[in-house]
Amino acid sequence: MSEAKGMNLTLKVWRQKNASDKGKMVTYQVSDISPDMSFLEMFDVLNEDLLQKGEDPITFDHDCREGICGMCSMYINGKPHGPLDGTTTCQLHMRNFKDGDTIYVEPWRAKAFPVLKDLSVDRTSFDRIIQAGGFISINTGNAPDANEIPIPKDIADEAFNAATCIGCGACVAACKNASAMLFTAAKVSQLSMLPQGKAEKKKRVEAMVAQMDEEGFGACTNTGACSAECPKEISLEHIARMNRDYLNAKLTSDNV
Amino acid sequence: MKLDAKIPEGDLSEKWSKHKFNVKLVNPANKRKYEVIVVGTGLAGASAAASLAELGYNVKAFCFQDSPRRAHSIAAQGGINASKNYQNDGDSVYRLFYDTIKGGDYRSREANVHRLAEVSGNIIDQCVAQGVPFARDYGGLLDNRSFGGAQVSRTFYARGQTGQQLLLGAYSALSRQVAAGKVKLYTRTEMMDVVIIDGKAQGIITRDLVTGKIESHSAHAVILASGGYGNVFFLSTNAMGSNASAAWRAHKKGALFANPCFTQIHPTCIPVHGTYQSKLTLMSESLRNDGRVWVPKKAGDKRKPNDIPENERDYYLERKYPSFGNLVPRDVASRNAKYVCDEGRGVGETGLAVYLDFSDAIKRDGEDTISAKYGNLFEMYEKITGENPYKVPMKIYPAVHYTMGGLWVDYNLMTSVPGLYALGEANFSDHGANRLGASALMQGLADGYFVVPYTIGDYLSQMPYEKVSNDHAEFQKAETEVRERLNKLLSVNGKKTVDQFHKELGLIIWDYCGMSRTAEGLKEAKEKVQKLREEYWTNLKTIGTQDELNITLEKAYRVADFMELGELMIDDALNRNESCGGHFREEYQTEEGEAKRDDENYSYVAAWEYKGENMQEELHKEELNFENVQLTQRSYK
Ligand SMILES: Cc1cc2nc3c(=O)[nH]c(=O)nc-3n(C[C@H](O)[C@H](O)[C@H](O)COP(=O)(O)OP(=O)(O)OC[C@H]3O[C@@H](n4cnc5c(N)ncnc54)[C@H](O)[C@@H]3O)c2cc1C
Ligand code: SF4
Ligand code: FES
């Protein structure tokens, strides 16, 4: 465990001073990395080192370090969140790498996610998609008793699976078209499955899809890369459900 | 300064309804003439911002993360309490009230706690209506589990990620109000100071974390929902960015800080394993529903857990507390883990761990059932430790988790500064000296959805519609001070990094003001912290400028405040010559090693007033009056 021999690694990391800087890959060496460290702890060690040498530490987003806030977002060796399936960057541990490895680390790349600095990108486009309709319109205090509407367990469970999306954006980073379908579909699907969300079903899907397009996310060509790289393993089923909802809404839409 | 908690007159169960009737209202058409600032978009902040906007107020909401959905509340795992009594097991508003008062070791206000229990059911209704997918049974109705300190099942949950689902619910309500133009959202924006004009909070100063731009925002009232201060300890289960600066700035501007030494050490966390470690990971208390805590009977037993026969194991919680067993409150469970480790019976490489064993539950219910309840927690455990908890018992150890202390607030959730409110973990209100599991989510949402929307009207109705201008001289002055403080941090030019200082501070507080405390140790700790703080301002190493995204500067700013708050925690622990809940002074214990309160002398809220740089803070006491429950030695036997 922690006494195990440390690893020596070569890191090639994207450095970009700010949104208007061109940016480039920079090479760093780290040594004596414990296999029990998380990937971000390895970055902490590197950053301490840089600061001691009077160099600017690498900016990267992170907060919970428990795989739930969706803040961490590194593109590691050509994969969002790195090599391990169903795992966020912060939950990736160094025991998944070998002594002597070279690791490439880049930010998410998508037009709708502009780089702010180094590995940190602006994902407010996701917030705007939710603002367009990712809610059920109920004011505080208006709710009926929680057990008034029983929800069959299988529907509740399926809605739950959709609701586990952490809004990290790996699906967009994984997609060659930088499409946000999986993220958008997860929310649309969660709410349209539940009885509480049915009233606004049509309006919601139209508004959210329109916002997604407006933000500059690409079209979905069904490659499935999003779901394969999603740390929460959100299923492609939700995209299919959203497509059905969308078609249905368009066929019967009042907003033509 | 005279502390007035403004607790309404009358019967406990009628105080809140009467108060709601008595507060002044703002006419619906006039609400849009008022602007409210909400700092924080966790459960407390998002629910408050959304509810106030729905009422018609104009709201500005701030958070330092890139999205409101990422507030630390997202990480809450186990569940949220409510006295719905859906299980028909004898729960009631009064029982939830009583359990919370007792769990807090009789150091919280009866009236506040009763109100919390009263609105708890509405919270569940509200969340379900928003589409929060709580766990359900096969009949399609809501399921419950048990949490520590209670003998009824009143905890609603969404697998092991209840906080996520509740926050996404509040975030969706907030997003709806953003779309409606009632909430203006400022992400990656940090509040740097509160601005007080004519004795009232009338705005804040912020820093755009991407560009470094300093800005003034004026408003009719300011709500702080900025979370707790567990990260004073460096290692805690809090998110990396969680910090105390918003609350601490308010404190330095006159808001009293209450019971800072009441911190919660959670019994079930993944043990520390290296000096590079950046944070600790909680394993939800809900696991104690099915997991059994044990250590070997013999000290120094190095056998693998599965090689230790049943009769050589000590299920010490079940042995000492037969009626609550593994579900004793957190402070009791943590202290007992420390005791067995101190006796040399701790397990794992460091000897600072105990087992949490699911083998009996798996035998009884099958792996599928256990995985449906805790699957994501087991996975998280395996990712971090590389061990499979379905096969080998988990190793766990206590870690800093939650802070009961916080800004002092009255019954209306207003701090001692008029117009400045504090909600959620940022205030001190409902949990006394120990918070029961699944009660923080309840309190945050109660404050935001159901309390402040009523109480703030009482204050706003007395304010003129015209708000102060944000180029008022006080704003200018505050902006200058912020810039100067940042420059000062950038110009120390020393040799030690912020993290090095933060780790040192955390160790001092953990060693002397953690799970157990002594007067002697606390005095030593105070000197150490003072020295460290002096060194901070002469030997800190930072880099870059304040006009850019500067992660080193952000941390440096927050840690400077942790240093000052850490010292106040020590003062408070030293002042409280008793043990209660999470505050355990070794000098004050019963023969069985339980916390021994001194109700005669310490049945009060300790509210501290800032007196100026390097000055001893002044203590104000709010006496606690118990009219409904009888104070007894807490027993979970
Ligand atoms: C791992 C873990 C598990 C938990 N599990 C449970 C559980 O199962 N049940 C339970 O009841 N409780 C649980 N808790 C406790 C509970 O999650 C927290 O107490 C609660 O969520 C706090 O909510 P809050 O809204 O007060 O603050 P937070 O969620 O911490 O939000 C703080 C907000 O303030 C903002 N902020 C802070 N400072 C500034 C500033 N200067 N400027 C601008 N914005 C600022 C942040 O950006 C954030 O939006 C858990 C806690 C942890 C750590
Ligand atoms: S769908 Fe998956 S990859 Fe996309 S934002 Fe959600 S959790 Fe991240
Ligand atoms: S830091 Fe929160 S998901 Fe990785």
PDB file of all heavy atoms in Angstrom, chain A residues 125-137:
ATOM      1  N   SER A 125     -22.906  26.910 -20.522  1.00  0.00           N
ATOM      2  CA  SER A 125     -23.889  26.523 -21.542  1.00  0.00           C
ATOM      3  C   SER A 125     -24.804  25.409 -20.999  1.00  0.00           C
ATOM      4  O   SER A 125     -25.990  25.366 -21.333  1.00  0.00           O
ATOM      5  CB  SER A 125     -23.176  26.062 -22.812  1.00  0.00           C
ATOM      6  OG  SER A 125     -22.132  25.160 -22.494  1.00  0.00           O
ATOM      7  N   PHE A 126     -24.269  24.525 -20.182  1.00  0.00           N
ATOM      8  CA  PHE A 126     -25.091  23.468 -19.571  1.00  0.00           C
ATOM      9  C   PHE A 126     -26.172  24.069 -18.661  1.00  0.00           C
ATOM     10  O   PHE A 126     -27.311  23.631 -18.657  1.00  0.00           O
ATOM     11  CB  PHE A 126     -24.208  22.516 -18.751  1.00  0.00           C
ATOM     12  CG  PHE A 126     -23.723  21.302 -19.514  1.00  0.00           C
ATOM     13  CD1 PHE A 126     -23.813  21.243 -20.900  1.00  0.00           C
ATOM     14  CD2 PHE A 126     -23.188  20.214 -18.836  1.00  0.00           C
ATOM     15  CE1 PHE A 126     -23.368  20.116 -21.594  1.00  0.00           C
ATOM     16  CE2 PHE A 126     -22.749  19.085 -19.527  1.00  0.00           C
ATOM     17  CZ  PHE A 126     -22.835  19.030 -20.886  1.00  0.00           C
ATOM     18  N   ASP A 127     -25.773  25.068 -17.876  1.00  0.00           N
ATOM     19  CA  ASP A 127     -26.759  25.724 -17.008  1.00  0.00           C
ATOM     20  C   ASP A 127     -27.889  26.327 -17.833  1.00  0.00           C
ATOM     21  O   ASP A 127     -29.051  26.256 -17.459  1.00  0.00           O
ATOM     22  CB  ASP A 127     -26.106  26.850 -16.181  1.00  0.00           C
ATOM     23  CG  ASP A 127     -25.262  26.301 -15.040  1.00  0.00           C
ATOM     24  OD1 ASP A 127     -25.623  25.244 -14.501  1.00  0.00           O
ATOM     25  OD2 ASP A 127     -24.248  26.933 -14.698  1.00  0.00           O
ATOM     26  N   ARG A 128     -27.517  26.927 -18.975  1.00  0.00           N
ATOM     27  CA  ARG A 128     -28.553  27.579 -19.791  1.00  0.00           C
ATOM     28  C   ARG A 128     -29.498  26.555 -20.414  1.00  0.00           C
ATOM     29  O   ARG A 128     -30.674  26.834 -20.630  1.00  0.00           O
ATOM     30  CB  ARG A 128     -27.904  28.484 -20.847  1.00  0.00           C
ATOM     31  CG  ARG A 128     -27.281  29.751 -20.228  1.00  0.00           C
ATOM     32  CD  ARG A 128     -26.794  30.740 -21.279  1.00  0.00           C
ATOM     33  NE  ARG A 128     -25.670  30.230 -22.046  1.00  0.00           N
ATOM     34  CZ  ARG A 128     -24.386  30.363 -21.692  1.00  0.00           C
ATOM     35  NH1 ARG A 128     -24.052  31.004 -20.581  1.00  0.00           N
ATOM     36  NH2 ARG A 128     -23.428  29.856 -22.452  1.00  0.00           N
ATOM     37  N   ILE A 129     -28.995  25.347 -20.695  1.00  0.00           N
ATOM     38  CA  ILE A 129     -29.895  24.308 -21.206  1.00  0.00           C
ATOM     39  C   ILE A 129     -30.927  23.943 -20.132  1.00  0.00           C
ATOM     40  O   ILE A 129     -32.121  23.798 -20.409  1.00  0.00           O
ATOM     41  CB  ILE A 129     -29.096  23.059 -21.655  1.00  0.00           C
ATOM     42  CG1 ILE A 129     -28.240  23.399 -22.885  1.00  0.00           C
ATOM     43  CG2 ILE A 129     -30.035  21.896 -21.960  1.00  0.00           C
ATOM     44  CD1 ILE A 129     -27.341  22.265 -23.358  1.00  0.00           C
ATOM     45  N   ILE A 130     -30.482  23.830 -18.896  1.00  0.00           N
ATOM     46  CA  ILE A 130     -31.419  23.514 -17.806  1.00  0.00           C
ATOM     47  C   ILE A 130     -32.403  24.673 -17.621  1.00  0.00           C
ATOM     48  O   ILE A 130     -33.607  24.475 -17.458  1.00  0.00           O
ATOM     49  CB  ILE A 130     -30.666  23.223 -16.485  1.00  0.00           C
ATOM     50  CG1 ILE A 130     -29.734  22.014 -16.643  1.00  0.00           C
ATOM     51  CG2 ILE A 130     -31.652  23.010 -15.329  1.00  0.00           C
ATOM     52  CD1 ILE A 130     -30.420  20.690 -16.886  1.00  0.00           C
ATOM     53  N   GLN A 131     -31.870  25.905 -17.667  1.00  0.00           N
ATOM     54  CA  GLN A 131     -32.760  27.065 -17.499  1.00  0.00           C
ATOM     55  C   GLN A 131     -33.858  27.100 -18.560  1.00  0.00           C
ATOM     56  O   GLN A 131     -34.952  27.599 -18.330  1.00  0.00           O
ATOM     57  CB  GLN A 131     -31.948  28.376 -17.541  1.00  0.00           C
ATOM     58  CG  GLN A 131     -31.138  28.621 -16.282  1.00  0.00           C
ATOM     59  CD  GLN A 131     -29.922  29.506 -16.523  1.00  0.00           C
ATOM     60  OE1 GLN A 131     -29.846  30.216 -17.524  1.00  0.00           O
ATOM     61  NE2 GLN A 131     -28.972  29.471 -15.603  1.00  0.00           N
ATOM     62  N   ALA A 132     -33.550  26.547 -19.730  1.00  0.00           N
ATOM     63  CA  ALA A 132     -34.546  26.580 -20.810  1.00  0.00           C
ATOM     64  C   ALA A 132     -35.760  25.707 -20.497  1.00  0.00           C
ATOM     65  O   ALA A 132     -36.822  25.897 -21.084  1.00  0.00           O
ATOM     66  CB  ALA A 132     -33.896  26.140 -22.118  1.00  0.00           C
ATOM     67  N   GLY A 133     -35.611  24.747 -19.585  1.00  0.00           N
ATOM     68  CA  GLY A 133     -36.789  23.907 -19.321  1.00  0.00           C
ATOM     69  C   GLY A 133     -36.541  22.700 -18.439  1.00  0.00           C
ATOM     70  O   GLY A 133     -37.456  21.899 -18.225  1.00  0.00           O
ATOM     71  N   GLY A 134     -35.370  22.570 -17.883  1.00  0.00           N
ATOM     72  CA  GLY A 134     -35.051  21.388 -17.077  1.00  0.00           C
ATOM     73  C   GLY A 134     -35.585  21.455 -15.664  1.00  0.00           C
ATOM     74  O   GLY A 134     -34.830  21.315 -14.694  1.00  0.00           O
ATOM     75  N   PHE A 135     -36.890  21.686 -15.552  1.00  0.00           N
ATOM     76  CA  PHE A 135     -37.496  21.809 -14.218  1.00  0.00           C
ATOM     77  C   PHE A 135     -38.971  21.469 -14.311  1.00  0.00           C
ATOM     78  O   PHE A 135     -39.528  21.348 -15.405  1.00  0.00           O
ATOM     79  CB  PHE A 135     -37.335  23.236 -13.681  1.00  0.00           C
ATOM     80  CG  PHE A 135     -37.678  24.304 -14.686  1.00  0.00           C
ATOM     81  CD1 PHE A 135     -39.012  24.591 -14.987  1.00  0.00           C
ATOM     82  CD2 PHE A 135     -36.687  25.005 -15.361  1.00  0.00           C
ATOM     83  CE1 PHE A 135     -39.344  25.560 -15.933  1.00  0.00           C
ATOM     84  CE2 PHE A 135     -37.012  25.980 -16.305  1.00  0.00           C
ATOM     85  CZ  PHE A 135     -38.340  26.249 -16.596  1.00  0.00           C
ATOM     86  N   ILE A 136     -39.578  21.308 -13.155  1.00  0.00           N
ATOM     87  CA  ILE A 136     -41.026  21.161 -13.082  1.00  0.00           C
ATOM     88  C   ILE A 136     -41.539  22.443 -12.435  1.00  0.00           C
ATOM     89  O   ILE A 136     -41.019  22.856 -11.401  1.00  0.00           O
ATOM     90  CB  ILE A 136     -41.394  19.920 -12.238  1.00  0.00           C
ATOM     91  CG1 ILE A 136     -41.008  18.652 -13.010  1.00  0.00           C
ATOM     92  CG2 ILE A 136     -42.879  19.922 -11.867  1.00  0.00           C
ATOM     93  CD1 ILE A 136     -41.133  17.369 -12.229  1.00  0.00           C
ATOM     94  N   SER A 137     -42.510  23.082 -13.061  1.00  0.00           N
ATOM     95  CA  SER A 137     -42.946  24.379 -12.542  1.00  0.00           C
ATOM     96  C   SER A 137     -43.828  24.228 -11.320  1.00  0.00           C
ATOM     97  O   SER A 137     -45.037  24.044 -11.446  1.00  0.00           O
ATOM     98  CB  SER A 137     -43.701  25.154 -13.632  1.00  0.00           C
ATOM     99  OG  SER A 137     -42.832  25.388 -14.711  1.00  0.00           O
TER     100      SER A 137
END
